[in-house]
Every structure is written in C-alpha cells, then in structure tokens.
Amino acid sequence: MSRGRFGAYGGQFVPETLMPSLLELEAAYASARADAAFQSELDSLLARYVGRPTPVYLASRFSASLANEARVYLKREDLNHTGAHKINNCVGQALLARRMDKRRLVAETGAGQHGVATATVAALFGMECTVYMGEVDMARQSPNVRRMKLLGATVVPVTSGTRTLKDATNETIRDWVTNVRTTHYIIGSTVGPHPYPTIVRDFQSVIGREARAQMLEAEGRLPSDVVACVGGGSNALGIFSAFLTDDVRLHGVEAGGSRDGDAATLSRGTPGVLHGAFSYLLQDDDGQVSPAHSIAAGLDYPGVGPEHSFLKDAGRVSYQRVNDDDALAAFASLARLEGIIPALESAHALAFVRRAFSGAPSEGRVVLVNLSGRGDKDADAVEGRLP
Ligand SMILES: *Cc1c(COP(=O)(O)O)cnc(C)c1O
C-alpha cells in the first residue's frame, strides 16, 4: 500500500499552501509514535482524564428482546469524559499540536460533539480554540454550542451552502490555510487528506484493543459480530481495527435517513474527491456533492473515510443502512430496557442489531456493539418522535 493510500482511496488533494503542514504533521506523528514518553503521557491522560478503559457491558434485557438469542455486549464509549469517543482522538491530536509548538486549535463540528471535545482539550492544554459550525446545526444542537462557549471556545456560525457540516469544514480549511504557522486543525473523524485518516484511526484504536481483550475475558472467545455506526468512520475503525485479521463479521451502519434524503455514502455513493481525499461520496451526475440527511447530526455528512471505501471494495466489512424511524425505535428500546440513553448515532448500530438478529435462534452469536456516545444531547431531536 503506497503512502497515504488505502487501495485506490485516500491521498492528499489539497492546495499547495497546505502541503508543508501535512508533511510537518506526518513527521511529528512518526516521531511521537516512536517516543515512549509521548505514549505514556497519552495513556495517562486517557486513564485519568478521559476515564479509560471503558467497560464492555452485557445488555441482557436488550438481548432477550431479540428473537435469536444473540448475546449483545456494548462497548461503553458513552462513559468517556464529554460523552462520546471523540475525546480519544482530541487528546492525542492536542498532544501532537503541542509537540509542533502550535498554540491554537481549529475544528469543524456537526453534532457539536467534536467541537466540545476540541474545546475541552484546548482548555486542558491552555490553547486558543475556534470551532466552525453550520447555522442549521447550531440551532439543532444548541446545548453543545453553550458547552463549547463555557469551555472558552469561539464558535463561528457558518452561513454558506447547506449551513451544515460540509460547509463548516470548508470554512475550517480556509482558517487553517490562513493561520497555518500557529494553528493545528483537529479533524474529528477518519477523513481528510493523509495523514489524518491514519492518525485518527490510530488514536481511536484503543477502543478495539480494549474491547478485544475484554470480550476474551468475559466470554472466553471473540465476538461473532462487531457493529458500529459510520459517519466519517472513526468509532467504527476504532473498534474494527482490532478484529480485521480475525474470523469476525464486521458491520458498518450508515444513516438511511428518511424520505427527505439520507447519508448512506458507502451504500449509495460513488468515488470522488471531497475535503482532501478520494473516497466514496454522495454526488450528482455532474460531480456536485449532494446534501446529506439524517436525524443524527453526527452521521449527516456526504463523505466517508477512505479506509472504509477500501474495506467495502475488499468485502471485509459489510455496510448497511438504517433509517431515522428504526434508529428512534432502537433509541427508545435501549433507554427503557437498559437504562442507557444512546446517542442517536449509536442507535443506528443498535437498530441494525434488532433487524439482523430477529430471525431463528442460532448458536453462538455474540455481538459487540460500539456505543459511541450518550444521548442526552438528543433529547430535543427525539421529542414527540419516539414510538
Ligand atoms: C461524531 C459521532 C459519530 C460519527 O462519527 P464517526 O467518525 O463515524 O465515529 C458517531 N457517534 C457519536 C456519538 C458521535 O459523536
């Protein structure tokens, strides 16, 4: 596999002015990876600040609600500080920013989860922080906007295009190009130009390393199936990466949306270039990027990470769609059967489990679901829509 490529996918489709920064980031990451002090500081922050390891939990009542008697375990990323997996990557990238002597962080955010995680590490490291967010997302995720401001970040509303994540990303890239000497762009998922997809995957791979050992401990075997929702793809690659060479079925679940549209990039898209990388994306016949739609703001993105495009073509991961209504039903089900309110994003993975494991009982199905975040943020979005 050539540098920065996953098969045909990935690469660095960026303006000339950004190349020195990407090279600088690549070099900083290579040296950090080889530096035991970097790794031990990261591990210490993950343990003491983020709250790792997160448990795997056997969801007995949720499992019993499935016809085929699968045993469903949840990897509890919702228990991390700030309530989702995003913080794993932000702590790692903030350490890299400090290593490169950059004292300012910029980020884009859709659901607001990545913005909150970035504002959090900026406060922790005493860095300046600017977060770009589409106007539409600011309205539907207002609790997260308030959290970012409380943490000391500047939140800039983006009013161009569809006023959602794709447009916020364009604005963030513009800021980064302008301030590249002092500023590190924390990308929140396994997307963007090389080396971001690799860096983000590696910082999230702690999820899979922990979960693999925890499943061996709990069940004395590996799970038969691992399931995760896919927006840009970071929580999914974080958990899948530990099982890629095992005899384990891997399922990535995309947002099937509603009649208004979807965000099922791998199921329905075609390859093209978006935000610095070649990967599947939702586009029309003229190559214009189509707007995405999902009830889960964190899945509402017309692109997907290049490694997922590779894994799809290679047939190693199967990608499925779950629509808004089924995600809402799964959201309610987990809340009422287990006392755990999942993020709407994670509810897509749970809905896939409810659909796929509803058949006749089959021996030995042990299913591991990545519960990527908690759903408090979604209380307004689900209001009046639950079954
Ligand atoms: C951001 C987010 C996602 C989607 O992002 P990935 O990079 O695909 O993981 C999923 N779940 C939660 C809770 C999120 O905040």
Side-chain angles (χ1 to χ4, degrees), residues 83-86 111-114 188-191 200 204 229-237 297-299 308 343-346 370-374 377-378:
H85 66 291
K86 299 262 170 31
Q113 293 296 106
H114 175 55
S189 189
T190 44
V191 299
V200 178
Q204 293 294 1
C229 66
V230 177
S234 70
N235 87 87
L237 284 174
L299 303 182
H308 282 289
L344 272 174
E345 291 81 5
S346 324
N370 200 9
L371 198 73
S372 55
R374 68 173 185 233
K377 68 182 178 62
D378 297 313

Side-chain angles (χ1 to χ4, degrees), residues 82-115:
T82 69
H85 66 291
K86 299 262 170 31
I87 190 82
N88 301 323
N89 167 54
C90 284
V91 167
Q93 286 203 45
L95 285 170
L96 283 180
R98 199 186 59 189
R99 203 178 172 89
M100 294 182 292
D101 273 329
K102 301 202 175 177
R103 309 299 307 176
R104 179 170 178 268
L105 302 177
V106 291
E108 87 298 319
T109 197
Q113 293 296 106
H114 175 55

Side-chain angles (χ1 to χ4, degrees), residues 224-247:
S224 56
D225 300 80
V226 178
V227 183
C229 66
V230 177
S234 70
N235 87 87
L237 284 174
I239 198 160
F240 291 167
S241 55
F243 299 97
L244 281 175
T245 57
D246 294 318
D247 184 17

